[in-house]
mmCIF file of all heavy atoms in Angstrom:
data_model
loop_
_atom_site.group_PDB
_atom_site.id
_atom_site.type_symbol
_atom_site.label_atom_id
_atom_site.label_comp_id
_atom_site.label_asym_id
_atom_site.label_seq_id
_atom_site.Cartn_x
_atom_site.Cartn_y
_atom_site.Cartn_z
ATOM 1 N N ALA A 116 87.477 92.046 90.779
ATOM 2 C CA ALA A 116 88.753 91.941 90.054
ATOM 3 C C ALA A 116 89.260 90.494 90.082
ATOM 4 O O ALA A 116 89.729 89.968 89.065
ATOM 5 C CB ALA A 116 89.792 92.886 90.668
ATOM 6 N N ARG A 117 89.140 89.846 91.224
ATOM 7 C CA ARG A 117 89.576 88.442 91.304
ATOM 8 C C ARG A 117 88.757 87.559 90.369
ATOM 9 O O ARG A 117 89.281 86.660 89.725
ATOM 10 C CB ARG A 117 89.461 87.941 92.753
ATOM 11 C CG ARG A 117 90.557 88.500 93.647
ATOM 12 C CD ARG A 117 90.333 88.084 95.084
ATOM 13 N NE ARG A 117 91.483 88.398 95.926
ATOM 14 C CZ ARG A 117 91.437 88.508 97.245
ATOM 15 N NH1 ARG A 117 90.288 88.341 97.880
ATOM 16 N NH2 ARG A 117 92.521 88.779 97.932
ATOM 17 N N HIS A 118 87.462 87.849 90.299
ATOM 18 C CA HIS A 118 86.604 87.061 89.408
ATOM 19 C C HIS A 118 86.992 87.309 87.945
ATOM 20 O O HIS A 118 87.029 86.376 87.138
ATOM 21 C CB HIS A 118 85.143 87.451 89.656
ATOM 22 C CG HIS A 118 84.166 86.446 89.132
ATOM 23 N ND1 HIS A 118 84.045 85.182 89.669
ATOM 24 C CD2 HIS A 118 83.292 86.501 88.095
ATOM 25 C CE1 HIS A 118 83.116 84.507 88.999
ATOM 26 N NE2 HIS A 118 82.655 85.287 88.035
ATOM 27 N N LEU A 119 87.323 88.560 87.623
ATOM 28 C CA LEU A 119 87.731 88.875 86.243
ATOM 29 C C LEU A 119 89.032 88.170 85.883
ATOM 30 O O LEU A 119 89.210 87.720 84.749
ATOM 31 C CB LEU A 119 87.895 90.385 86.065
ATOM 32 C CG LEU A 119 86.606 91.201 86.049
ATOM 33 C CD1 LEU A 119 86.936 92.693 85.978
ATOM 34 C CD2 LEU A 119 85.725 90.814 84.858
ATOM 35 N N VAL A 120 89.947 88.091 86.829
ATOM 36 C CA VAL A 120 91.207 87.392 86.581
ATOM 37 C C VAL A 120 90.922 85.922 86.265
ATOM 38 O O VAL A 120 91.471 85.343 85.319
ATOM 39 C CB VAL A 120 92.154 87.525 87.798
ATOM 40 C CG1 VAL A 120 93.292 86.523 87.721
ATOM 41 C CG2 VAL A 120 92.698 88.944 87.891
ATOM 42 N N GLN A 121 90.008 85.344 87.038
ATOM 43 C CA GLN A 121 89.663 83.932 86.819
ATOM 44 C C GLN A 121 89.033 83.733 85.441
ATOM 45 O O GLN A 121 89.378 82.808 84.708
ATOM 46 C CB GLN A 121 88.685 83.517 87.923
ATOM 47 C CG GLN A 121 88.543 82.027 88.065
ATOM 48 C CD GLN A 121 87.475 81.698 89.106
ATOM 49 O OE1 GLN A 121 87.167 82.505 89.995
ATOM 50 N NE2 GLN A 121 86.911 80.523 88.982
ATOM 51 N N ILE A 122 88.140 84.646 85.068
ATOM 52 C CA ILE A 122 87.497 84.550 83.752
ATOM 53 C C ILE A 122 88.513 84.775 82.640
ATOM 54 O O ILE A 122 88.533 84.053 81.638
ATOM 55 C CB ILE A 122 86.361 85.592 83.666
ATOM 56 C CG1 ILE A 122 85.180 85.080 84.452
ATOM 57 C CG2 ILE A 122 85.954 85.874 82.226
ATOM 58 C CD1 ILE A 122 84.115 86.108 84.627
ATOM 59 N N GLY A 123 89.353 85.783 82.841
ATOM 60 C CA GLY A 123 90.362 86.085 81.826
ATOM 61 C C GLY A 123 91.264 84.888 81.586
ATOM 62 O O GLY A 123 91.614 84.567 80.442
ATOM 63 N N SER A 124 91.605 84.216 82.642
ATOM 64 C CA SER A 124 92.510 83.079 82.533
ATOM 65 C C SER A 124 91.769 81.804 82.089
ATOM 66 O O SER A 124 92.113 81.182 81.090
ATOM 67 C CB SER A 124 93.169 82.908 83.900
ATOM 68 O OG SER A 124 93.604 81.631 84.088
ATOM 69 N N ASP A 125 90.723 81.438 82.819
ATOM 70 C CA ASP A 125 90.091 80.129 82.580
ATOM 71 C C ASP A 125 89.167 80.128 81.358
ATOM 72 O O ASP A 125 89.152 79.163 80.602
ATOM 73 C CB ASP A 125 89.264 79.699 83.809
ATOM 74 C CG ASP A 125 90.138 79.532 85.042
ATOM 75 O OD1 ASP A 125 91.378 79.651 84.912
ATOM 76 O OD2 ASP A 125 89.590 79.309 86.132
ATOM 77 N N ASP A 126 88.373 81.182 81.179
ATOM 78 C CA ASP A 126 87.394 81.173 80.085
ATOM 79 C C ASP A 126 87.956 81.784 78.809
ATOM 80 O O ASP A 126 87.610 81.363 77.715
ATOM 81 C CB ASP A 126 86.124 81.950 80.496
ATOM 82 C CG ASP A 126 85.425 81.282 81.662
ATOM 83 O OD1 ASP A 126 85.105 80.096 81.535
ATOM 84 O OD2 ASP A 126 85.220 81.940 82.700
ATOM 85 N N LEU A 127 88.781 82.818 78.971
ATOM 86 C CA LEU A 127 89.250 83.525 77.771
ATOM 87 C C LEU A 127 90.688 83.165 77.395
ATOM 88 O O LEU A 127 91.158 83.522 76.324
ATOM 89 C CB LEU A 127 89.096 85.047 77.980
ATOM 90 C CG LEU A 127 87.641 85.505 78.181
ATOM 91 C CD1 LEU A 127 87.583 86.947 78.686
ATOM 92 C CD2 LEU A 127 86.851 85.384 76.870
ATOM 93 N N GLY A 128 91.371 82.460 78.274
ATOM 94 C CA GLY A 128 92.689 81.921 77.929
ATOM 95 C C GLY A 128 93.819 82.928 77.891
ATOM 96 O O GLY A 128 94.853 82.672 77.273
#
Side-chain angles (χ1 to χ4, degrees):
R117 286 175 170 160
H118 198 67
L119 288 175
V120 165
Q121 196 184 336
I122 283 170
S124 156
D125 298 355
D126 296 304
L127 298 167

